[in-house]
Amino acid sequence: EVQLLESGGGLVQPGGSLRLSCAASGFTFNSYGMTWVRQAPGKGLEWVSAINSDGGYTYYADSVKGRFTISRDNSQNTLDLRITSLRAEDTAVYYCAKGALGSGYVRTALDSWGQGTLVTVSS
Amino acid sequence: EIVLTQSPGTLSLSPGERASLSCRASQSVSSSYLAWYQQKPGQAPRLLIYGASSRATGIPDRFSGSGSGTDFSLTISRLEPEDFAVYYCQQYGSSPPLTFGGGTKVEIK
């Protein structure tokens, strides 16, 4: 059974930094692209960032480019999202999600999702 | 960046009725790389449909997707109580960002 467990969320002041992690199990992690999606309170889904299976290609939404860094450790089956220069509008539940195809690419549907970790940016 | 517009914003229906949801793209979605997700309150999204019309594993056949190019739809043939939720479309046919639509809420009438 695929399991994705996010951690690292919390309350942080504007301008602060955070590292989110996603521990993956139940599938061959190094064969799948992985994605972060966020959801602000009461709002819709927003695609944030993605990384291909070997970590060689990374992608970001314009709203986070230059502030967020996605990475993965295929030896540990973990996905990370480093977030800096946090703003109030970054307040959201952050989900990690697995690509549906074992091609390693990020251009796939997302067939498994974690339960999310809440990031709150407030002074 | 492809913008996805979902309509209606809210659909008020009774159990047993048919639900038709629309997702319109600002430009053609390559290879019909369009997915639909269901999200219930307090839960993560769940993949329903990929490739515009293929049901994901374990999804009941009352859910069906169709469309191509810029116009896509999700149909729920007969609403069950557990189908009342928010539905999102997402395109993955272009280079990232892989955008989501704004969602359609299906509520009990």
Side-chain angles (χ1 to χ4, degrees):
Chain A
E1 179 192 3
V2 172
Q3 290 196 339
L4 299 169
L5 184 61
E6 301 96 337
S7 61
L11 175 63
V12 62
Q13 292 187 336
S17 301
L18 215 52
R19 188 186 82 166
L20 307 183
S21 293
C22 173
S25 61
F27 64 102
T28 306
F29 183 70
N30 62 12
S31 293
Y32 292 87
M34 297 293 294
T35 297
W36 287 96
V37 176
R38 70 183 179 183
Q39 186 170 37
K43 302 298 184 182
L45 302 174
E46 180 186 12
W47 183 94
V48 172
S49 182
I51 187 168
N52 74 327
S53 57
D54 68 7
Y57 292 92
T58 59
Y59 307 89
Y60 300 93
D62 286 345
S63 58
V64 308
K65 203 170 292 183
R67 300 187 300 121
F68 289 21
T69 303
I70 191 172
S71 62
R72 64 190 296 160
D73 184 339
N74 285 345
S75 68
Q76 299 292 319
N77 289 356
T78 57
L79 174 73
D80 281 354
L81 186 68
R82 287 178 172 80
I83 307 174
T84 63
S85 304
L86 276 158
R87 307 166 180 168
E89 54 266 35
D90 296 319
T91 294
V93 173
Y94 286 72
Y95 295 101
C96 74
K98 167 187 166 289
L101 292 181
S103 61
Y105 300 135
V106 302
R107 285 177 54 191
T108 76
L110 303 172
D111 68 353
S112 297
W113 297 61
Q115 282 305 301
T117 187
L118 176 62
V119 173
T120 303
V121 184
S122 175
S123 55
Chain B
E1 175 179 326
I2 296 179
V3 176
L4 299 179
T5 302
Q6 291 187 241
S7 60
T10 302
L11 202 49
S12 298
L13 295 168
S14 300
E17 290 194 295
R18 180 185 185 92
S20 295
L21 288 66
S22 173
C23 177
R24 180 161 291 179
S26 60
Q27 54 189 283
S28 183
V29 177
S30 173
S31 303
S32 295
Y33 284 165
L34 193 286
W36 290 92
Y37 301 87
Q38 177 193 66
Q39 188 179 33
K40 298 178 182 179
Q43 295 185 17
R46 177 175 71 145
L47 176 65
L48 298 176
I49 301 287
Y50 63 93
S53 60
S54 297
R55 275 187 299 276
T57 303
I59 302 304
D61 60 8
R62 64 179 181 273
F63 290 92
S64 63
S66 64
S68 63
T70 60
D71 289 302
F72 299 87
S73 62
L74 174 70
T75 300
I76 310 171
S77 59
R78 294 175 314 279
L79 282 164
E80 297 288 339
E82 61 268 26
D83 298 336
F84 291 91
V86 180
Y87 293 83
Y88 295 94
C89 59
Q90 183 205 17
Q91 68 80 22
Y92 51 98
S94 66
S95 295
L98 306 181
T99 46
F100 288 92
T104 291
K105 181 180 182 180
V106 179
E107 66 176 21
I108 299 176
K109 186 175 182 180

